[in-house]
């Protein structure tokens, strides 16, 4: 066992902490504080240790400076590691000659500076050191999608001198007006990319968000001034901008950011009130593309003790240790496929919403009416495919599998004529998998689902991708291989993709379904009522309960359950109580009675709405709980009989 205790020694002049009137003392104080903080953080990231401070000064000011130093150190540490760890991991001991800071190993890796930025409405914000690492990973490093990325060449091109540009700063737009003075040593290119103008900070912020544009030559109030740039300076500006961008830390899959893809610079001419171009006067527009994986202004600052010495953790080590990038698949910033037109997307969304509302509420006459109406109203192939896909689902829900298969054949014949063929191919694969599952051809289910997920990954996140993950989650235990993602993981992906949609009944319906699948998974069942795990523990029950509570919260906020989800919800609640009966045998009969009542309610609703598959699940559950209740009752009677016979044998019955 290593009994070594890391220790660093610092000789300081405490009187300089009190007297900071001179710039020299101020710089001295800042440097000493930085050194001490780094030493403490290095020990927090290692096995702990102690930092010893010896006072070189013997004047009276030094005595009063000790408490000041402790206060400053505590404040600095709280800003980095938070108050909880500062209190629990750091202890100060002092005497006349020295002060010892005892450091315990931290609960997590301490990062003194992420060097990551995000945009606010009017500025860029540096990610604080005490921001939880998991949140930084989720929001920046491991984010999978950019919902509405700023596109290349989408910037404004018309700039009128002295007039407002008619747009304002926001999370994707930044204004700067530099007015380089040629009499000074610093040229415009240097001032643009210098730290004073936070150039790299804006690059990081835009890249870590939705992308954005920097406009140089526009005042903060939006009035166009323009930058005066001789032709010979343009190439210098481009080189300096490129150098500054490449100097930053980009994700491995990008390595060196490419102009025209990850960034671009344009020199847009400024015109006068007569629309005449003003010579050598431009608004410089720098485009930064959204980037997955995190863009750092420089290497994150993180320290550790190595053989008794403080060392800054290399970027490679930091990524492996903190972000575990060997186990995390950060996708490249690929161009995802969208609908061929927004009009087609809107119409398909409307058709789907209306028809699925009717299906999920078991209103079959209404469904037939609207399906016919949409087929007659919209001649486009995409509309016909959307209606056909809903007809397949409607027949599947009612147990008319032969009819559903014939409709899917019609769908397949029409599919090649669609403009949005990939989107409707994903829908086709999901429907095909459902029908294969009904025939218990599970190998085929696996094949179709894997293909659907692969193709869905090429689509822009939205309702179609959420539907695909949802369908895969629902069929996981009868489809995907054991090495694939679990139903819980797929359901969480559904919830993630739904964030890219506006709050609506369609979005909420999918959300309800995801929570039901999550709860069912944690209860050890699949979505057909098949038992996957014979027993589950108390923790799994609590996790399932949390999912159902999240669903209830959504319902209480004004989004009621559809009839189909209500059936599923009752079935999941019956399953929950059945599992509680297993975990709590002393309350076995009480929980079984609750399970029975919920399954009966689901059975009634499913029969009334002609949800064939749900009727089967409910029937099986009602039969199971009836049997368990009878056995529990018989066991209770047997126990009463034994007591009676015992009392009789002892002549205790009068």
């Amino acid at each position: 066992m290593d009994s070594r205790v890391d220790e660093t020694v610092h000789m300081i002049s405490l009187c300089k902490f009190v007297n900071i009137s001179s710039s020299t003392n101020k710089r001295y104080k800042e440097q000493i504080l930085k050194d001490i903080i780094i030493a403490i953080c290095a020990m927090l990231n290692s096995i702990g240790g102690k930092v010893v401070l010896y006072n070189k000064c013997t004047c009276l000011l030094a005595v009063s400076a000790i408490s000041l130093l402790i206060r400053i150190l505590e404040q600095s540490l709280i800003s980095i590691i938070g108050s909880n760890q500062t209190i629990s991991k750091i202890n100060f001991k002092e005497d006349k000659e020295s002060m010892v800071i005892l450091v315990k190993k931290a609960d997590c890796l301490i990062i003194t500076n992420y060097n990551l930025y995000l945009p606010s409405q009017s500025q860029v914000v540096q990610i604080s050191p005490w921001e939880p690492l998991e949140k930084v990973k989720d929001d920046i490093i491991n984010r999978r999608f950019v919902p509405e990325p700023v596109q290349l060449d989408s910037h404004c091109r018309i700039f009128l001198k002295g007039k407002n540009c008619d747009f304002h700063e926001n999370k994707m737009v930044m204004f700067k007006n530099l007015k380089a003075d040629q009499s000074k040593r610093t040229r415009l290119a240097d001032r643009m990319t210098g730290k004073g103008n936070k150039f790299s900070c804006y690059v990081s912020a835009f890249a870590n968000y939705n992308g954005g544009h920097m406009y140089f030559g526009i005042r903060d109030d939006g009035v166009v001034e323009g930058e005066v740039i001789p032709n010979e300076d343009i190439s210098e500006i481009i080189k300096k901008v490129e150098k500054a961008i490449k100097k930053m830390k980009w994700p491995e899959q990008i390595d060196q950011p490419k102009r025209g893809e990850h960034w671009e610079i344009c020199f847009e001419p400024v015109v006068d009130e007569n629309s005449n171009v003003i010579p050598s006067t431009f608004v410089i527009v720098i485009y930064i593309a959204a980037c997955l994986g995190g863009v750092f202004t420089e290497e994150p600052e993180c320290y550790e003790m190595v053989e008794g010495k403080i060392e800054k953790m290399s970027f490679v080590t930091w990524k492996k240790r903190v972000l575990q990038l060997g186990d995390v698949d950060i996708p490249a910033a690929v161009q995802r496929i969208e609908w061929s037109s927004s009009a087609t997307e809107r119409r398909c969304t409307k058709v789907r919403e209306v028809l699925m509302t009717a299906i999920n509420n078991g209103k079959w006459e209404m469904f037939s009416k609207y399906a016919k109406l949409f087929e007659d109203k919209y001649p486009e192939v995409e509309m016909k495919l959307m209606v056909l896909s809903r007809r397949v689902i409607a027949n599947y829900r009612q147990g008319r599998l032969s009819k559903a298969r014939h409709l899917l054949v019609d769908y397949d014949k029409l599919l090649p004529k669609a403009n949005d063929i990939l989107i409707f191919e994903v829908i086709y694969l999901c429907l095909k998998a459902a029908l294969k599952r009904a025939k218990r051809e599970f190998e085929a289910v696996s094949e179709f689902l894997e293909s659907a997920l692969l193709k869905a990954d090429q689509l822009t996140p939205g309702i179609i991708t959420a539907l695909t993950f949802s369908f895969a989650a629902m069929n996981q235990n009868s489809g995907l291989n054991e090495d694939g993602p679990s139903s819980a993981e797929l359901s969480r992906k559904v919830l993630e993709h739904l964030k890219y949609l506006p709050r609506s009944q369609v979005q909420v319906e999918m959300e309800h379904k995801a929570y039901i699948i999550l709860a069912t998974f944690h209860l050890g069942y699949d979505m057909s009522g098949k038992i996957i795990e014979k027993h589950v523990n108390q923790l799994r029950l609590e996790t399932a309960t949390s999912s159902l509570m999240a669903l209830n919260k959504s319902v209480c906020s004004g989004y009621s359950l559809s009839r189909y989800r209500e059936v599923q919800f009752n079935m999941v609640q019956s399953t929950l109580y059945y599992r509680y009966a297993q975990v709590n045998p002393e309350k076995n009969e009480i929980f079984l009675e609750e399970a029975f009542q919920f399954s009966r309610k689901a059975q009634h609703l499913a029969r009334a709405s002609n949800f064939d598959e749900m009727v089967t699940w409910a029937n099986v559950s009602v039969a199971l709980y009836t049997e368990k209740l009878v056995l529990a009752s018989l066991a209770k009677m047997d126990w009463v009989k034994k007591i009676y016979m015992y009392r009789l044998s002892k002549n205790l019955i009068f």
Side-chain angles (χ1 to χ4, degrees), residues 30 41 90 98 301 314-315 357-358 364 389 544 557 597 647:
E30 290 173 351
C41 290
I90 310 295
S98 66
E301 292 180 36
S314 70
F315 194 40
T357 298
W364 305 117
S389 67
S557 66
Q597 293 300 332
R647 291 171 65 89

Side-chain angles (χ1 to χ4, degrees), residues 124 176 178 190-202 216:
V124 290
K176 285 287 181 183
L178 299 178
D190 297 312
R191 297 183 65 197
M192 281 178 60
T193 58
K195 287 188 175 181
N197 280 310
K198 298 184 177 180
F199 179 80
S200 62
C201 303
Y202 275 96
F216 290 88

Side-chain angles (χ1 to χ4, degrees), residues 3-229:
S3 59
R4 172 181 54 82
V5 176
D6 285 321
E7 177 180 318
T8 63
V9 177
H10 304 262
M11 302 297 294
I12 62 175
S13 296
L14 283 172
C15 61
K16 292 185 179 181
F17 279 80
V18 179
N19 182 16
I20 57 170
S21 56
S22 71
S23 58
T24 303
N25 283 358
K26 186 177 180 180
R27 287 194 298 271
Y28 173 83
K29 175 184 174 181
E30 290 173 351
Q31 186 59 51
I32 288 294
L33 284 174
K34 182 179 179 181
D35 292 343
I36 296 171
I37 293 296
I38 287 174
I40 292 172
C41 290
M43 291 176 185
L44 285 166
N45 286 334
S46 303
I47 59 172
K50 59 182 179 180
V51 179
V52 183
L53 309 179
Y54 286 103
N55 179 26
K56 294 191 295 184
C57 182
T58 58
C59 67
L60 292 175
L61 283 174
V63 178
S64 61
I66 293 177
S67 58
L68 174 63
L69 175 60
I70 293 174
R71 185 165 66 252
I72 293 172
L73 285 172
E74 283 186 331
Q75 290 171 349
S76 299
L77 287 166
I78 288 171
S79 69
I80 296 173
I81 65 176
S83 57
N84 184 45
Q85 293 216 77
T86 300
I87 294 169
S88 62
K89 304 298 181 183
I90 310 295
N91 192 23
F92 296 89
K93 290 188 176 182
E94 58 182 280
D95 57 33
K96 293 181 180 180
E97 296 182 353
S98 66
M99 180 170 69
V100 178
I101 305 171
L102 301 175
V103 184
K104 296 179 182 178
K105 182 179 179 180
D107 298 329
C108 58
L109 203 67
I110 303 301
I111 300 162
T112 56
N113 193 339
Y114 282 106
N115 285 321
L116 281 171
Y117 290 79
L118 284 173
S120 70
Q121 201 66 20
S122 60
Q123 60 185 332
V124 290
V125 179
Q126 185 174 18
I127 303 299
S128 172
W130 50 262
E131 190 77 37
L133 179 59
E134 288 304 315
K135 182 168 177 57
V136 175
K137 289 166 68 175
D138 290 343
D139 293 349
I140 300 177
I141 310 298
N142 292 345
R143 69 170 178 159
R144 290 291 195 263
F145 307 103
V146 180
E148 296 180 5
V150 176
Q151 300 296 326
L152 180 65
D153 294 328
S154 62
H155 65 275
C156 178
R157 288 177 168 79
I158 301 174
F159 298 100
L160 186 60
K161 177 77 172 180
K163 299 295 183 180
N164 196 287
C165 62
D166 292 331
F167 59 98
H168 53 81
E169 288 186 302
N170 55 43
K171 292 181 180 180
M172 293 160 285
V173 173
M174 179 274 286
F175 295 154
K176 285 287 181 183
N177 187 42
L178 299 178
K179 290 291 183 182
D181 187 345
Q182 297 299 327
S183 65
K184 295 184 178 180
R185 292 182 180 179
T186 56
R187 300 174 68 84
L188 179 61
D190 297 312
R191 297 183 65 197
M192 281 178 60
T193 58
K195 287 188 175 181
N197 280 310
K198 298 184 177 180
F199 179 80
S200 62
C201 303
Y202 275 96
V203 174
S204 172
F206 286 161
N208 292 329
Y209 188 59
N210 287 355
H213 292 103
M214 290 181 258
Y215 291 86
F216 290 88
I218 300 180
R219 296 191 330 221
D220 290 345
D221 59 4
V223 174
V224 176
E225 291 288 349
E227 303 288 354
V228 178
I229 310 170

Side-chain angles (χ1 to χ4, degrees), residues 392-428:
V392 173
I393 294 172
N395 282 276
Y396 178 88
R397 289 271 181 91
Q398 296 175 85
R400 301 171 183 171
L401 300 181
S402 178
K403 177 66 174 176
R405 292 188 187 99
H406 282 103
L407 287 167
L408 194 59
V409 170
D410 295 339
Y411 183 104
D412 190 26
K413 291 177 181 177
L414 192 59
L415 182 59
K417 299 178 182 179
N419 290 323
D420 299 288
I421 189 167
L422 183 63
I423 291 172
F424 287 96
E425 190 175 359
V426 169
I427 295 173
Y428 170 80

